Amino acid sequence: MVGRKKDIIKIGSDAYHHAGLELTLDEQEFAPPCLLFGSDAYIGGATALYKNNLIDQPPHQIWVIVPTNVTNHNSKYRLIRTKADLQEGVEQHKWYRIASPERAIVDAFHFQTKLGGLEMAIRAARTALREKVITARDILQLAKKIGWEKDILRNWEAITVE
């Protein structure tokens, strides 16, 4: 019998899935905020840095980058509101969107005061460059596309010289 209560599983605030649907752990964690905050929202901030193995400390909340008109009252999510392009440098997965390594780094420099300071952004960028996840050119090109080039150039020497 379809529609029984045990056939439906709650995976987040106002997000459910059918018990027969196989979801990965990432999909279970990241799909609800992307559904809740709209199609432009993407997983970013400290969550994207951690997911891309650019920082060691897992965040206490799921960080979501959203348009300026989105609000949140759920303590599970930490929103960063922006007027910037929410499409550039964002990877589309089946049920959610997440910042690419370059986007996560560019966001870390732009939103450094919200994310824990310049040191975290520099450490993440150096880790990505050292492990050859991305190149310095990738970071700069994406920053130019978004219009945040000054955030990267201001710290260029710290990023590229180790």
Side-chain angles (χ1 to χ4, degrees):
M1 181 170 134
V2 176
R4 293 181 302 197
K5 195 171 188 174
K6 65 182 178 181
D7 289 340
I8 306 298
I9 298 171
K10 184 174 185 171
I11 57 172
S13 177
D14 297 328
Y16 302 85
H17 78 85
H18 190 273
L21 181 64
E22 295 291 325
L23 293 178
T24 66
L25 183 59
D26 286 347
E27 290 171 339
Q28 289 179 30
E29 285 186 20
F30 301 151
C34 288
L35 291 169
L36 183 64
F37 300 123
S39 61
D40 285 336
Y42 67 89
I43 305 302
T47 305
L49 290 171
Y50 181 75
K51 186 68 183 139
N52 286 307
N53 297 317
L54 301 177
I55 60 172
D56 296 327
Q57 181 68 33
H60 298 295
Q61 297 171 298
I62 296 175
W63 290 67
V64 187
I65 312 298
V66 297
T68 56
N69 63 334
V70 175
T71 59
N72 175 40
H73 301 290
N74 187 333
S75 62
K76 185 175 181 178
Y77 307 119
R78 171 71 166 93
L79 299 189
I80 297 178
R81 292 173 191 79
T82 184
K83 292 180 183 177
D85 183 352
L86 296 170
Q87 306 303 320
E88 203 65 52
V90 178
E91 299 171 353
Q92 178 69 51
H93 293 263
K94 186 173 183 178
W95 301 104
Y96 65 94
R97 300 173 66 225
I98 189 166
S100 65
E102 358 11 284
R103 179 66 189 240
I105 290 168
V106 171
D107 284 354
F109 279 97
H110 187 74
F111 300 118
Q112 62 184 275
T113 57
K114 294 176 180 7
L115 277 166
L118 182 59
E119 187 179 321
M120 177 192 274
I122 291 172
R123 195 172 34 242
R126 285 181 177 174
T127 300
L129 294 173
R130 182 176 46 259
E131 302 203 3
K132 298 186 182 347
V133 175
I134 57 171
T135 65
R137 185 178 183 177
D138 294 336
I139 296 170
L140 190 56
Q141 284 179 339
L142 182 62
K144 283 181 182 179
K145 287 179 185 176
I146 300 171
W148 294 345
E149 182 180 12
K150 66 177 172 38
D151 296 318
I152 300 302
L153 291 177
R154 184 180 309 132
N155 300 290
W156 188 252
E157 193 171 311
I159 295 169
T160 57
V161 177
E162 194 165 343

